[in-house]
Amino acid sequence: MQELNFPKFSFRFKNNENKISIFDSIRKKFVILQPEEWVRQHCVQFLIEEKGFPKSLINVEKELTINNLKKRYDIVIYNPDGSIHLMVECKAPKTTINQNTFDQIARYNLKLNATYLMVTNGLNHYYCQMDFENECYQFLKDIPNYNIKQ
Protein backbone atom coordinates (compact mmCIF):
# COMPACT_ATOMS: atom_id res chain seq x y z
CA MET A 1 0.00 0.00 0.00
CA GLN A 2 0.99 3.58 -0.62
CA GLU A 3 2.84 5.57 2.04
CA LEU A 4 0.56 8.18 3.58
CA ASN A 5 1.03 11.58 5.18
CA PHE A 6 0.57 10.20 8.71
CA PRO A 7 3.12 9.05 11.28
CA LYS A 8 4.21 5.41 10.97
CA PHE A 9 1.92 3.02 12.82
CA SER A 10 2.10 -0.75 13.19
CA PHE A 11 -0.83 -2.80 11.94
CA ARG A 12 -1.85 -6.45 11.98
CA PHE A 13 -2.42 -8.06 8.60
CA LYS A 14 -3.87 -11.36 7.48
CA ASN A 15 -3.75 -13.02 4.07
CA ASN A 16 -6.73 -15.22 3.24
CA GLU A 17 -7.27 -16.60 -0.29
CA ASN A 18 -4.94 -13.91 -1.69
CA LYS A 19 -6.95 -11.14 -0.05
CA ILE A 20 -5.07 -9.06 2.48
CA SER A 21 -6.98 -7.84 5.51
CA ILE A 22 -6.03 -5.31 8.16
CA PHE A 23 -7.13 -5.51 11.79
CA ASP A 24 -9.50 -2.72 12.84
CA SER A 25 -8.95 -2.18 16.57
CA ILE A 26 -12.27 -0.30 16.88
CA ARG A 27 -14.49 -2.87 15.14
CA LYS A 28 -12.27 -5.65 16.59
CA LYS A 29 -12.11 -7.60 13.35
CA PHE A 30 -10.08 -7.96 10.16
CA VAL A 31 -11.40 -6.02 7.17
CA ILE A 32 -10.35 -6.27 3.52
CA LEU A 33 -7.49 -3.87 2.84
CA GLN A 34 -8.72 -1.41 0.22
CA PRO A 35 -7.07 2.00 -0.39
CA GLU A 36 -9.79 3.84 1.56
CA GLU A 37 -9.49 1.35 4.44
CA TRP A 38 -5.73 1.97 4.52
CA VAL A 39 -6.45 5.69 5.01
CA ARG A 40 -9.19 4.98 7.59
CA GLN A 41 -6.92 2.76 9.70
CA HIS A 42 -4.11 5.34 9.63
CA CYS A 43 -6.56 8.04 10.62
CA VAL A 44 -7.93 5.99 13.53
CA GLN A 45 -4.40 5.38 14.82
CA PHE A 46 -3.55 9.07 14.36
CA LEU A 47 -6.59 10.08 16.44
CA ILE A 48 -5.72 7.58 19.19
CA GLU A 49 -1.92 7.82 19.32
CA GLU A 50 -1.28 11.42 18.26
CA LYS A 51 -4.44 13.23 19.37
CA GLY A 52 -5.17 11.20 22.50
CA PHE A 53 -8.78 10.19 21.79
CA PRO A 54 -9.90 7.15 23.80
CA LYS A 55 -10.86 4.11 21.72
CA SER A 56 -14.09 3.88 23.71
CA LEU A 57 -15.32 7.17 22.15
CA ILE A 58 -14.53 6.18 18.54
CA ASN A 59 -17.01 4.61 16.14
CA VAL A 60 -16.13 3.38 12.62
CA GLU A 61 -18.26 2.75 9.52
CA LYS A 62 -21.78 3.05 10.85
CA GLU A 63 -24.92 3.51 8.80
CA LEU A 64 -27.05 6.62 8.90
CA THR A 65 -30.12 7.59 6.86
CA ILE A 66 -30.19 10.92 5.05
CA ASN A 67 -33.22 11.82 2.90
CA ASN A 68 -34.33 8.17 3.00
CA LEU A 69 -30.94 7.06 1.63
CA LYS A 70 -28.65 4.77 3.61
CA LYS A 71 -25.14 6.21 3.95
CA ARG A 72 -22.09 5.26 6.00
CA TYR A 73 -19.79 7.59 7.84
CA ASP A 74 -16.13 6.66 8.16
CA ILE A 75 -15.15 7.76 11.68
CA VAL A 76 -17.03 9.51 14.46
CA ILE A 77 -15.66 10.49 17.85
CA TYR A 78 -18.16 11.08 20.60
CA ASN A 79 -17.95 13.40 23.57
CA PRO A 80 -18.50 11.69 26.94
CA ASP A 81 -22.06 13.12 26.98
CA GLY A 82 -22.92 11.28 23.73
CA SER A 83 -22.81 14.32 21.43
CA ILE A 84 -20.46 14.11 18.45
CA HIS A 85 -17.11 15.83 18.74
CA LEU A 86 -15.52 14.92 15.39
CA MET A 87 -16.60 13.33 12.13
CA VAL A 88 -14.00 12.15 9.61
CA GLU A 89 -14.54 11.41 5.92
CA CYS A 90 -11.80 9.22 4.44
CA LYS A 91 -11.11 8.86 0.75
CA ALA A 92 -8.63 6.70 -1.15
CA PRO A 93 -5.27 8.39 -1.81
CA LYS A 94 -6.00 8.66 -5.54
CA THR A 95 -9.28 10.48 -4.85
CA THR A 96 -8.99 14.24 -5.11
CA ILE A 97 -10.63 16.10 -2.26
CA ASN A 98 -12.91 18.72 -3.75
CA GLN A 99 -16.11 20.62 -3.03
CA ASN A 100 -18.16 17.43 -3.50
CA THR A 101 -16.24 15.83 -0.62
CA PHE A 102 -17.00 18.79 1.66
CA ASP A 103 -20.64 18.78 0.52
CA GLN A 104 -20.86 15.08 1.43
CA ILE A 105 -19.52 15.54 4.97
CA ALA A 106 -21.65 18.68 5.43
CA ARG A 107 -24.80 16.67 4.48
CA TYR A 108 -23.86 13.96 6.98
CA ASN A 109 -23.25 16.63 9.60
CA LEU A 110 -26.74 18.07 9.19
CA LYS A 111 -27.83 14.86 10.91
CA LEU A 112 -24.89 14.29 13.28
CA ASN A 113 -24.00 17.85 14.40
CA ALA A 114 -20.29 17.22 14.96
CA THR A 115 -18.30 20.16 16.30
CA TYR A 116 -15.25 19.33 14.15
CA LEU A 117 -14.90 17.83 10.68
CA MET A 118 -11.87 16.21 9.07
CA VAL A 119 -11.54 15.20 5.45
CA THR A 120 -8.53 13.18 4.34
CA ASN A 121 -7.27 11.06 1.47
CA GLY A 122 -4.23 10.11 3.54
CA LEU A 123 -2.05 12.60 1.68
CA ASN A 124 -3.99 15.82 2.31
CA HIS A 125 -5.88 16.53 5.51
CA TYR A 126 -8.43 19.30 6.00
CA TYR A 127 -9.87 20.29 9.37
CA CYS A 128 -12.92 22.44 10.06
CA GLN A 129 -14.78 23.70 13.08
CA MET A 130 -18.51 24.13 12.71
CA ASP A 131 -20.14 27.50 13.30
CA PHE A 132 -23.75 26.39 13.76
CA GLU A 133 -24.99 29.90 14.46
CA ASN A 134 -23.83 31.21 11.06
CA GLU A 135 -24.31 27.84 9.30
CA CYS A 136 -20.75 27.61 8.02
CA TYR A 137 -17.42 26.03 8.90
CA GLN A 138 -14.03 27.58 9.59
CA PHE A 139 -10.91 25.85 8.32
CA LEU A 140 -8.29 25.03 10.96
CA LYS A 141 -4.60 24.12 10.74
CA ASP A 142 -5.24 21.08 12.94
CA ILE A 143 -7.89 19.57 15.19
CA PRO A 144 -7.45 19.99 18.93
CA ASN A 145 -6.08 17.12 20.98
CA TYR A 146 -8.53 15.25 23.17
CA ASN A 147 -9.33 17.16 26.33
CA ILE A 148 -11.06 15.24 29.09
CA LYS A 149 -12.74 18.44 30.37
CA GLN A 150 -14.85 18.85 27.22
Side-chain angles (χ1 to χ4, degrees):
M1 281 279 147
Q2 180 175 353
E3 192 168 312
L4 302 176
N5 187 13
F6 281 109
K8 298 261 188 268
F9 300 112
S10 70
F11 296 102
R12 288 172 47 203
F13 298 97
K14 180 171 81 173
N15 190 341
N16 189 7
E17 297 177 9
N18 289 327
K19 288 188 177 160
I20 297 174
S21 296
I22 187 169
F23 187 75
D24 182 321
S25 64
I26 303 300
R27 292 179 276 183
K28 295 181 173 57
K29 67 178 185 177
F30 281 93
V31 291
I32 301 293
L33 183 57
Q34 301 286 345
E36 184 177 313
E37 191 63 47
W38 183 237
V39 172
R40 186 169 24 255
Q41 293 306 315
H42 274 81
C43 192
V44 166
Q45 292 308 308
F46 168 74
L47 294 167
I48 294 167
E49 295 184 26
E50 301 293 317
K51 293 296 180 178
F53 289 98
K55 278 186 186 180
S56 61
L57 296 178
I58 301 174
N59 206 312
V60 174
E61 280 251 297
K62 291 288 187 210
E63 192 174 90
L64 69 156
T65 304
I66 298 172
N67 297 329
N68 295 320
L69 298 172
K70 295 197 181 304
K71 302 290 184 182
R72 284 177 126 13
Y73 62 71
D74 286 304
I75 303 167
V76 159
I77 298 183
Y78 290 92
N79 289 309
D81 69 4
S83 62
I84 297 178
H85 179 71
L86 170 69
M87 180 174 36
V88 182
E89 179 61 31
C90 300
K91 297 294 185 189
K94 289 184 177 168
T95 302
T96 302
I97 294 174
N98 56 27
Q99 188 60 50
N100 290 341
T101 313
F102 285 99
D103 291 347
Q104 177 186 359
I105 198 169
R107 272 193 309 277
Y108 290 5
N109 206 37
L110 288 172
K111 181 145 189 151
L112 298 178
N113 295 316
T115 305
Y116 295 95
L117 304 177
M118 176 180 175
V119 176
T120 182
N121 63 3
L123 305 173
N124 301 298
H125 317 300
Y126 301 93
Y127 311 100
C128 307
Q129 182 173 7
M130 293 304 301
D131 178 347
F132 292 106
E133 194 174 302
N134 295 308
E135 298 182 346
C136 64
Y137 44 82
Q138 307 290 86
F139 282 93
L140 306 171
K141 288 187 193 301
D142 199 356
I143 53 168
N145 291 348
Y146 178 72
N147 179 349
I148 200 135
K149 295 178 199 157
Q150 295 171 354

